[in-house]
Coordinates of all heavy atoms in Angstrom, one line a residue:
M1 N 59.7 -82.8 9.1 CA 59.1 -82.4 7.9 C 58.2 -81.2 8.0 O 57.4 -81.1 8.9 CB 58.3 -83.5 7.3 CG 59.2 -84.7 6.9 SD 58.1 -86.1 6.2 CE 57.5 -85.6 4.7
T2 N 58.1 -80.4 7.0 CA 57.3 -79.3 6.9 C 56.1 -79.5 5.9 O 56.3 -80.3 5.0 CB 58.0 -77.9 6.6 OG1 58.6 -78.1 5.3 CG2 59.0 -77.6 7.6
T3 N 55.0 -78.9 6.1 CA 54.0 -79.0 5.1 C 54.0 -78.1 4.0 O 54.6 -77.0 4.3 CB 52.5 -78.9 5.8 OG1 52.5 -77.4 6.4 CG2 52.4 -79.9 7.0
P4 N 53.7 -78.5 2.9 CA 53.8 -77.5 1.7 C 52.9 -76.3 1.8 O 51.9 -76.4 2.6 CB 53.4 -78.3 0.4 CG 52.7 -79.4 0.9 CD 53.1 -79.7 2.3
P5 N 53.3 -75.1 1.3 CA 52.4 -74.0 1.5 C 51.1 -74.2 0.7 O 51.0 -75.0 -0.2 CB 53.3 -72.8 0.8 CG 54.2 -73.6 -0.1 CD 54.5 -74.9 0.5
Y6 N 50.1 -73.5 1.3 CA 48.8 -73.6 0.7 C 48.7 -73.0 -0.6 O 49.2 -71.8 -0.8 CB 47.7 -73.0 1.7 CG 46.3 -73.0 1.2 CD1 45.6 -74.2 1.1 CD2 45.8 -71.7 0.6 CE1 44.3 -74.2 0.6 CE2 44.6 -71.6 0.1 CZ 43.8 -72.9 0.1 OH 42.5 -73.0 -0.5
Q7 N 48.0 -73.6 -1.6 CA 47.9 -73.1 -2.8 C 46.3 -73.0 -3.1 O 45.8 -74.0 -3.1 CB 48.6 -73.9 -3.9 CG 50.0 -73.9 -3.8 CD 50.7 -74.8 -4.8 OE1 50.0 -75.5 -5.5 NE2 52.0 -75.0 -4.8
P8 N 45.8 -71.9 -3.3 CA 44.3 -71.7 -3.6 C 43.9 -72.7 -4.9 O 44.5 -72.6 -5.9 CB 44.1 -70.3 -4.0 CG 45.3 -69.6 -3.5 CD 46.5 -70.6 -3.4
G9 N 42.8 -73.4 -4.6 CA 42.4 -74.2 -5.8 C 43.2 -75.5 -5.8 O 42.7 -76.3 -6.8
Y10 N 44.0 -75.8 -4.9 CA 44.7 -77.0 -5.1 C 44.8 -77.9 -3.8 O 45.0 -77.2 -2.6 CB 46.2 -76.8 -5.5 CG 47.0 -78.0 -5.5 CD1 47.0 -78.8 -6.6 CD2 47.9 -78.4 -4.5 CE1 47.8 -80.0 -6.6 CE2 48.6 -79.5 -4.4 CZ 48.6 -80.3 -5.6 OH 49.4 -81.4 -5.7
A11 N 44.2 -78.9 -3.7 CA 44.3 -79.8 -2.6 C 45.0 -81.1 -3.0 O 45.2 -81.5 -4.0 CB 42.9 -80.3 -2.2
P12 N 45.7 -81.7 -1.9 CA 46.5 -83.0 -2.2 C 45.9 -84.0 -2.9 O 46.6 -84.7 -3.6 CB 47.0 -83.3 -0.8 CG 46.8 -82.2 0.2 CD 45.7 -81.3 -0.5
D13 N 44.5 -84.1 -2.8 CA 43.9 -85.1 -3.4 C 43.4 -84.8 -4.8 O 42.6 -85.5 -5.5 CB 42.6 -85.6 -2.6 CG 41.6 -84.4 -2.3 OD1 41.9 -83.4 -2.5 OD2 40.5 -84.8 -1.9
H14 N 43.7 -83.7 -5.4 CA 43.3 -83.1 -6.5 C 44.5 -83.1 -7.6 O 45.8 -83.2 -7.1 CB 42.8 -81.7 -6.6 CG 41.5 -81.5 -6.1 ND1 41.0 -81.8 -4.9 CD2 40.3 -81.2 -6.8 CE1 39.6 -81.6 -4.9 NE2 39.2 -81.3 -6.0
S15 N 44.4 -83.2 -8.8 CA 45.5 -83.2 -9.8 C 46.1 -81.8 -10.0 O 45.5 -80.9 -9.4 CB 44.8 -83.5 -11.2 OG 45.8 -83.5 -12.2
D16 N 47.3 -81.9 -10.4 CA 47.9 -80.6 -10.6 C 47.6 -80.0 -12.1 O 48.0 -79.0 -12.5 CB 49.5 -80.8 -10.6 CG 50.0 -81.8 -11.5 OD1 49.1 -82.7 -12.1 OD2 51.3 -81.9 -11.8
K17 N 46.8 -80.7 -12.8 CA 46.3 -80.3 -14.1 C 44.9 -79.5 -14.0 O 44.2 -79.8 -13.1 CB 46.0 -81.5 -15.0 CG 47.2 -82.5 -15.1 CD 48.3 -81.9 -15.9 CE 49.4 -82.9 -16.0 NZ 50.6 -82.4 -16.8
S18 N 44.8 -78.6 -14.8 CA 43.6 -77.6 -14.7 C 42.6 -78.1 -15.6 O 42.8 -78.4 -16.8 CB 44.0 -76.1 -15.1 OG 43.0 -75.3 -15.3
K19 N 41.2 -78.0 -15.2 CA 40.1 -78.4 -16.0 C 40.0 -77.5 -17.2 O 39.5 -77.7 -18.2 CB 38.9 -78.7 -15.3 CG 38.2 -77.5 -14.8 CD 36.9 -78.0 -14.0 CE 36.0 -76.9 -13.8 NZ 34.8 -77.2 -13.2
V20 N 40.3 -76.1 -16.9 CA 40.0 -75.1 -17.8 C 41.0 -75.3 -19.0 O 40.6 -75.3 -20.1 CB 40.3 -73.7 -17.2 CG1 40.2 -72.5 -18.2 CG2 39.2 -73.5 -16.2
V21 N 42.3 -75.5 -18.8 CA 43.3 -75.8 -19.7 C 43.0 -77.1 -20.5 O 43.0 -77.1 -21.8 CB 44.7 -76.0 -19.2 CG1 45.7 -76.3 -20.2 CG2 45.1 -74.7 -18.5
A22 N 42.5 -78.1 -19.9 CA 42.2 -79.3 -20.6 C 40.9 -79.2 -21.4 O 40.8 -79.7 -22.6 CB 41.9 -80.5 -19.5
G23 N 40.0 -78.4 -21.0 CA 38.8 -78.1 -21.7 C 39.1 -77.2 -23.0 O 38.6 -77.6 -24.1
I24 N 40.0 -76.2 -22.8 CA 40.2 -75.4 -23.9 C 41.0 -76.1 -25.0 O 40.8 -76.0 -26.2 CB 40.9 -74.1 -23.5 CG1 40.0 -73.3 -22.6 CG2 41.4 -73.3 -24.6 CD1 38.8 -72.7 -23.3
L25 N 41.9 -77.0 -24.5 CA 42.7 -77.8 -25.5 C 41.8 -78.8 -26.2 O 41.9 -79.0 -27.4 CB 43.8 -78.5 -24.7 CG 45.1 -77.7 -24.3 CD1 46.0 -78.5 -23.4 CD2 45.9 -77.2 -25.5
G26 N 40.8 -79.4 -25.5 CA 39.9 -80.3 -26.2 C 39.0 -79.6 -27.2 O 38.8 -80.2 -28.2
I27 N 38.6 -78.3 -26.9 CA 37.9 -77.7 -27.9 C 38.6 -77.1 -29.1 O 38.1 -77.5 -30.2 CB 37.1 -76.3 -27.2 CG1 36.1 -76.9 -26.2 CG2 36.4 -75.5 -28.3 CD1 35.6 -75.8 -25.3
L28 N 39.8 -76.6 -28.9 CA 40.5 -76.1 -29.9 C 41.4 -77.2 -30.7 O 41.5 -77.0 -31.9 CB 41.4 -75.0 -29.4 CG 40.7 -73.7 -28.8 CD1 41.8 -72.7 -28.2 CD2 39.8 -73.1 -29.8
L29 N 41.9 -78.0 -30.0 CA 42.8 -79.1 -30.6 C 42.3 -80.4 -30.4 O 43.2 -81.4 -30.4 CB 44.3 -78.9 -30.1 CG 44.9 -77.5 -30.3 CD1 46.3 -77.4 -29.4 CD2 45.2 -77.3 -31.7
G30 N 41.1 -80.6 -30.2 CA 40.5 -82.0 -29.9 C 40.8 -82.9 -31.0 O 40.8 -84.1 -30.8
T31 N 40.9 -82.5 -32.3 CA 41.3 -83.3 -33.5 C 42.6 -84.2 -33.2 O 42.7 -85.3 -33.6 CB 41.5 -82.6 -34.7 OG1 40.3 -81.7 -34.9 CG2 41.7 -83.4 -35.9
F32 N 43.4 -83.5 -32.4 CA 44.7 -84.1 -32.2 C 44.7 -84.8 -30.8 O 45.8 -85.2 -30.3 CB 45.9 -83.2 -32.3 CG 45.8 -82.4 -33.6 CD1 45.5 -81.1 -33.6 CD2 46.1 -83.0 -34.7 CE1 45.5 -80.4 -34.8 CE2 46.0 -82.3 -35.9 CZ 45.7 -81.0 -36.0
G33 N 43.6 -84.8 -30.1 CA 43.7 -85.3 -28.6 C 44.4 -84.6 -27.7 O 44.9 -85.2 -26.5
A34 N 44.6 -83.4 -27.9 CA 45.5 -82.6 -27.0 C 45.0 -82.5 -25.6 O 45.8 -82.5 -24.7 CB 45.7 -81.1 -27.6
G35 N 43.7 -82.4 -25.4 CA 43.1 -82.3 -24.0 C 43.5 -83.5 -23.2 O 43.7 -83.6 -22.1
R36 N 43.3 -84.7 -23.9 CA 43.5 -86.0 -23.3 C 45.0 -86.2 -23.1 O 45.4 -86.8 -22.1 CB 42.9 -87.1 -24.1 CG 41.5 -87.1 -24.0 CD 40.8 -87.2 -22.7 NE 39.4 -87.3 -22.6 CZ 38.8 -87.8 -21.6 NH1 39.4 -88.4 -20.5 NH2 37.4 -87.8 -21.6
F37 N 45.9 -85.8 -24.0 CA 47.4 -85.9 -23.8 C 47.7 -85.0 -22.6 O 48.5 -85.5 -21.8 CB 48.1 -85.5 -25.0 CG 48.3 -86.5 -26.0 CD1 47.8 -86.2 -27.4 CD2 49.0 -87.6 -25.8 CE1 48.0 -87.1 -28.4 CE2 49.1 -88.6 -26.9 CZ 48.7 -88.3 -28.1
Y38 N 47.1 -83.9 -22.4 CA 47.4 -83.0 -21.3 C 47.1 -83.6 -19.9 O 47.9 -83.6 -19.0 CB 46.6 -81.6 -21.5 CG 46.7 -80.8 -20.2 CD1 47.9 -80.1 -20.0 CD2 45.7 -80.6 -19.3 CE1 48.1 -79.2 -18.9 CE2 45.8 -79.8 -18.4 CZ 46.9 -79.1 -18.0 OH 47.1 -78.3 -16.9
T39 N 45.9 -84.4 -19.9 CA 45.5 -85.0 -18.7 C 46.3 -86.3 -18.4 O 46.0 -87.0 -17.3 CB 44.0 -85.3 -18.6 OG1 43.6 -86.0 -19.7 CG2 43.3 -83.9 -18.6
G40 N 47.0 -86.9 -19.4 CA 47.6 -88.1 -19.3 C 46.9 -89.3 -19.8 O 47.5 -90.5 -19.6
H41 N 45.8 -89.2 -20.5 CA 45.1 -90.4 -21.0 C 45.5 -90.5 -22.4 O 44.9 -90.3 -23.4 CB 43.5 -90.0 -21.0 CG 42.9 -89.9 -19.6 ND1 42.7 -88.6 -19.1 CD2 42.5 -90.8 -18.6 CE1 42.1 -88.8 -18.0 NE2 42.1 -90.0 -17.6
T42 N 46.7 -91.1 -22.6 CA 47.3 -91.3 -23.9 C 46.6 -92.2 -24.8 O 46.5 -92.0 -26.0 CB 48.7 -91.7 -23.9 OG1 48.9 -92.6 -22.7 CG2 49.6 -90.6 -23.7
K43 N 45.9 -93.2 -24.2 CA 45.2 -94.1 -25.2 C 44.1 -93.7 -25.8 O 43.8 -93.7 -27.0 CB 44.9 -95.5 -24.4 CG 46.0 -96.2 -24.0 CD 45.5 -97.5 -23.2 CE 46.7 -98.3 -22.7 NZ 46.4 -99.5 -21.9
I44 N 43.2 -92.8 -25.0 CA 42.1 -92.0 -25.6 C 42.5 -91.0 -26.5 O 41.9 -90.8 -27.5 CB 41.4 -91.4 -24.4 CG1 40.8 -92.5 -23.5 CG2 40.2 -90.7 -25.0 CD1 39.9 -92.1 -22.3
A45 N 43.8 -90.3 -26.2 CA 44.1 -89.3 -27.1 C 44.6 -89.8 -28.5 O 44.3 -89.3 -29.4 CB 45.4 -88.5 -26.4
V46 N 45.3 -90.9 -28.5 CA 45.7 -91.5 -29.7 C 44.5 -92.0 -30.5 O 44.4 -91.8 -31.7 CB 46.6 -92.7 -29.4 CG1 46.9 -93.6 -30.7 CG2 47.9 -92.2 -29.0
L47 N 43.4 -92.5 -29.8 CA 42.2 -92.9 -30.5 C 41.5 -91.7 -31.0 O 41.0 -92.0 -32.1 CB 41.4 -93.7 -29.4 CG 40.1 -94.4 -30.1 CD1 40.6 -95.5 -31.0 CD2 39.3 -95.0 -28.8
Q48 N 41.5 -90.6 -30.2 CA 40.8 -89.4 -30.9 C 41.6 -89.0 -32.2 O 41.0 -88.6 -33.2 CB 40.9 -88.2 -29.8 CG 39.8 -88.4 -28.8 CD 39.8 -87.1 -28.0 OE1 41.0 -86.6 -27.6 NE2 38.8 -86.7 -27.5
L49 N 42.9 -89.2 -32.1 CA 43.6 -88.7 -33.3 C 43.4 -89.6 -34.4 O 43.2 -89.3 -35.7 CB 45.1 -88.8 -33.0 CG 46.2 -88.4 -34.1 CD1 45.9 -87.0 -34.6 CD2 47.6 -88.5 -33.5
V50 N 43.4 -90.9 -34.3 CA 43.2 -91.9 -35.3 C 41.7 -91.8 -35.9 O 41.5 -91.7 -37.1 CB 43.3 -93.3 -34.7 CG1 42.8 -94.4 -35.7 CG2 44.9 -93.5 -34.4
V51 N 40.7 -91.6 -35.1 CA 39.4 -91.4 -35.5 C 39.3 -90.1 -36.4 O 38.5 -90.2 -37.4 CB 38.4 -91.4 -34.2 CG1 37.0 -90.9 -34.8 CG2 38.3 -92.8 -33.6
S52 N 39.9 -89.1 -35.9 CA 39.9 -87.9 -36.7 C 40.5 -88.0 -38.1 O 40.0 -87.6 -39.1 CB 40.5 -86.7 -36.1 OG 39.8 -86.4 -34.9
L53 N 41.7 -88.8 -38.2 CA 42.2 -89.1 -39.5 C 41.4 -89.9 -40.4 O 41.4 -89.7 -41.7 CB 43.7 -89.6 -39.2 CG 44.7 -88.6 -38.6 CD1 46.0 -89.4 -38.2 CD2 45.0 -87.5 -39.4
V54 N 40.9 -91.0 -39.7 CA 40.1 -91.9 -40.5 C 38.9 -91.3 -41.1 O 38.6 -91.7 -42.3 CB 39.9 -93.2 -39.8 CG1 39.0 -94.1 -40.3 CG2 41.2 -94.0 -39.4
T55 N 38.3 -90.5 -40.4 CA 37.1 -89.8 -40.8 C 37.1 -88.6 -41.4 O 36.2 -87.8 -41.7 CB 36.1 -89.7 -39.5 OG1 36.7 -88.8 -38.6 CG2 35.7 -90.9 -38.9
C56 N 38.4 -88.3 -41.9 CA 38.8 -87.0 -42.4 C 38.4 -85.9 -41.8 O 37.8 -84.8 -42.3 CB 38.2 -87.0 -44.0 SG 38.8 -88.4 -45.0
G57 N 38.5 -85.7 -40.5 CA 38.2 -84.5 -39.6 C 36.9 -84.6 -38.9 O 36.6 -83.8 -38.1
V58 N 36.0 -85.5 -39.4 CA 34.7 -85.5 -38.7 C 34.8 -86.0 -37.3 O 34.0 -85.5 -36.4 CB 33.7 -86.4 -39.4 CG1 32.4 -86.5 -38.7 CG2 33.5 -86.0 -40.8
G59 N 35.9 -86.7 -36.9 CA 36.0 -87.1 -35.5 C 36.5 -86.0 -34.7 O 36.5 -86.1 -33.5
A60 N 36.7 -84.8 -35.2 CA 37.0 -83.7 -34.3 C 35.8 -83.2 -33.4 O 35.9 -82.6 -32.5 CB 37.3 -82.4 -35.2
L61 N 34.5 -83.8 -33.8 CA 33.5 -83.3 -33.0 C 33.6 -84.1 -31.6 O 33.2 -83.6 -30.6 CB 32.1 -84.0 -33.6 CG 31.7 -83.2 -34.7 CD1 30.5 -83.7 -35.6 CD2 31.3 -81.8 -34.5
W62 N 34.2 -85.3 -31.5 CA 34.6 -85.9 -30.3 C 35.4 -85.0 -29.4 O 35.0 -84.9 -28.3 CB 35.3 -87.3 -30.6 CG 35.5 -88.1 -29.5 CD1 35.2 -87.8 -28.2 CD2 36.4 -89.2 -29.4 NE1 35.6 -88.8 -27.3 CE2 36.5 -89.8 -28.0 CE3 37.1 -89.9 -30.4 CZ2 37.0 -90.9 -27.8 CZ3 37.8 -91.1 -30.0 CH2 37.8 -91.4 -28.7
G63 N 36.5 -84.4 -29.9 CA 37.3 -83.5 -29.2 C 36.5 -82.3 -28.7 O 36.7 -81.9 -27.5
L64 N 35.7 -81.7 -29.6 CA 34.8 -80.5 -29.2 C 33.9 -80.9 -28.0 O 33.8 -80.1 -27.1 CB 34.0 -80.1 -30.4 CG 33.1 -79.0 -30.1 CD1 33.9 -77.6 -29.9 CD2 32.1 -78.7 -31.3
I65 N 33.2 -82.0 -28.2 CA 32.2 -82.4 -27.0 C 32.9 -82.8 -25.9 O 32.5 -82.4 -24.7 CB 31.3 -83.5 -27.6 CG1 30.4 -83.0 -28.8 CG2 30.5 -84.2 -26.5 CD1 29.7 -84.2 -29.5
D66 N 34.1 -83.4 -26.0 CA 34.9 -83.9 -24.8 C 35.4 -82.6 -24.0 O 35.3 -82.4 -22.8 CB 36.0 -84.7 -25.4 CG 36.8 -85.4 -24.3 OD1 36.1 -85.8 -23.3 OD2 38.0 -85.6 -24.3
G67 N 35.9 -81.6 -24.7 CA 36.4 -80.4 -24.0 C 35.2 -79.7 -23.4 O 35.5 -79.1 -22.3
I68 N 34.0 -79.6 -24.0 CA 32.9 -79.0 -23.4 C 32.5 -79.7 -22.1 O 32.2 -79.2 -20.9 CB 31.7 -78.8 -24.3 CG1 32.1 -77.8 -25.4 CG2 30.4 -78.4 -23.6 CD1 31.0 -77.9 -26.6
L69 N 32.4 -81.0 -22.2 CA 32.1 -81.9 -20.9 C 33.1 -81.7 -19.9 O 32.8 -81.6 -18.6 CB 31.9 -83.3 -21.5 CG 30.7 -83.6 -22.2 CD1 30.8 -85.1 -22.7 CD2 29.5 -83.4 -21.4
I70 N 34.4 -81.6 -20.1 CA 35.5 -81.3 -19.2 C 35.2 -80.0 -18.5 O 35.4 -79.8 -17.3 CB 36.8 -81.4 -19.7 CG1 37.2 -83.0 -20.0 CG2 37.8 -80.9 -18.8 CD1 38.4 -83.1 -20.9
L71 N 34.9 -79.0 -19.3 CA 34.7 -77.6 -18.7 C 33.4 -77.6 -17.9 O 33.4 -77.0 -16.7 CB 34.3 -76.5 -19.8 CG 35.8 -76.2 -20.4 CD1 35.4 -75.2 -21.6 CD2 36.7 -75.5 -19.6
V72 N 32.3 -78.4 -18.2 CA 31.1 -78.3 -17.5 C 31.2 -79.3 -16.3 O 30.8 -78.8 -15.1 CB 29.9 -78.7 -18.3 CG1 28.6 -78.9 -17.6 CG2 29.7 -77.6 -19.4
N73 N 31.6 -80.4 -16.5 CA 31.6 -81.5 -15.4 C 32.8 -81.7 -14.7 O 32.8 -82.4 -13.7 CB 31.1 -82.9 -16.0 CG 29.7 -82.8 -16.5 OD1 28.8 -82.0 -16.1 ND2 29.5 -83.6 -17.5
G74 N 33.9 -81.2 -15.2 CA 35.2 -81.5 -14.6 C 35.7 -82.7 -15.3 O 35.1 -83.2 -16.3
G75 N 36.7 -83.3 -14.8 CA 37.3 -84.6 -15.4 C 38.4 -85.1 -14.4 O 38.5 -84.6 -13.3
T76 N 39.0 -86.1 -14.7 CA 40.1 -86.6 -13.9 C 41.4 -86.8 -14.7 O 41.3 -86.8 -16.0 CB 39.8 -88.1 -13.4 OG1 39.5 -88.9 -14.6 CG2 38.5 -88.1 -12.6
D77 N 42.5 -86.8 -14.1 CA 43.8 -87.2 -14.8 C 43.9 -88.6 -14.9 O 43.1 -89.5 -14.5 CB 45.0 -86.4 -13.9 CG 45.2 -86.9 -12.5 OD1 44.5 -88.0 -12.2 OD2 46.0 -86.4 -12.0
A78 N 45.2 -88.9 -15.3 CA 45.5 -90.5 -15.6 C 45.5 -91.2 -14.3 O 45.2 -92.5 -14.3 CB 46.7 -90.6 -16.3
Q79 N 45.7 -90.6 -13.2 CA 45.6 -91.3 -11.8 C 44.3 -91.3 -11.1 O 44.1 -91.9 -10.0 CB 46.7 -90.6 -10.9 CG 48.0 -90.9 -11.3 CD 48.6 -90.0 -12.4 OE1 48.1 -88.8 -12.5 NE2 49.5 -90.6 -13.1
G80 N 43.2 -90.8 -11.7 CA 41.9 -90.8 -11.4 C 41.6 -89.7 -10.4 O 40.5 -89.6 -9.8
R81 N 42.5 -88.8 -10.2 CA 42.3 -87.5 -9.4 C 41.5 -86.4 -10.1 O 41.8 -86.3 -11.3 CB 43.7 -86.9 -8.8 CG 44.4 -88.0 -8.1 CD 45.8 -87.3 -7.7 NE 46.4 -87.1 -8.9 CZ 47.7 -86.7 -9.1 NH1 48.4 -86.3 -7.9 NH2 48.3 -86.4 -10.2
P82 N 40.5 -85.8 -9.5 CA 39.9 -84.8 -10.2 C 40.8 -83.5 -10.5 O 41.6 -83.2 -9.9 CB 38.7 -84.3 -9.1 CG 39.1 -85.0 -7.8 CD 40.1 -86.1 -8.1
L83 N 40.4 -83.0 -11.7 CA 41.1 -81.9 -12.2 C 40.8 -80.6 -11.2 O 39.6 -80.4 -10.8 CB 40.8 -81.6 -13.7 CG 41.2 -82.5 -14.6 CD1 40.7 -82.3 -16.0 CD2 42.7 -82.9 -14.7
R84 N 41.8 -79.7 -11.1 CA 41.6 -78.5 -10.3 C 40.9 -77.5 -11.1 O 41.0 -77.5 -12.4 CB 42.8 -77.9 -9.7 CG 43.9 -77.5 -10.6 CD 45.1 -77.0 -9.9 NE 46.2 -76.8 -10.9 CZ 46.3 -75.6 -11.5 NH1 45.5 -74.6 -11.5 NH2 47.3 -75.5 -12.5
D85 N 40.3 -76.5 -10.5 CA 39.5 -75.4 -11.2 C 40.4 -74.4 -11.7 O 41.5 -74.3 -11.3 CB 38.6 -74.8 -10.1 CG 37.4 -75.7 -9.9 OD1 37.0 -76.4 -10.7 OD2 36.9 -75.5 -8.7

């Protein structure tokens, strides 16, 4: 067996998902749960979508705050691995 080539910013114990992409999706499309769908957290994403629909869009603040927190603190994917930079 051969080892896979080194990829900067990627370690085997890290996710293949980017925290920058997840954060930007959360900020821009957080109303639809796009950042959470991207990271594989489908239950939270559907909940964000439902809350936004029920509150007539006020729930979009959740997506905005979630996206900012992902950019600042990082986050995890559905398997619990930290997102790559």
Side-chain angles (χ1 to χ4, degrees):
M1 288 177 71
T2 61
T3 58
Y6 174 74
Q7 298 175 357
Y10 177 78
D13 59 340
H14 280 72
S15 174
D16 58 341
K17 307 291 183 182
S18 168
K19 78 175 185 180
V20 174
V21 173
I24 297 297
L25 283 172
I27 291 170
L28 297 178
L29 299 171
T31 305
F32 308 110
R36 291 298 181 159
F37 276 121
Y38 173 73
T39 59
H41 297 102
T42 34
K43 290 180 184 177
I44 297 173
V46 169
L47 189 59
Q48 280 182 327
L49 178 60
V50 169
V51 167
S52 293
L53 290 174
V54 169
T55 62
C56 297
V58 177
L61 289 174
W62 180 7
L64 176 70
I65 293 168
D66 194 32
I68 292 170
L69 287 175
I70 288 174
L71 286 174
V72 173
N73 297 331
T76 60
D77 64 4
Q79 289 78 33
R81 300 175 298 181
L83 299 175
R84 64 180 169 85
D85 289 330

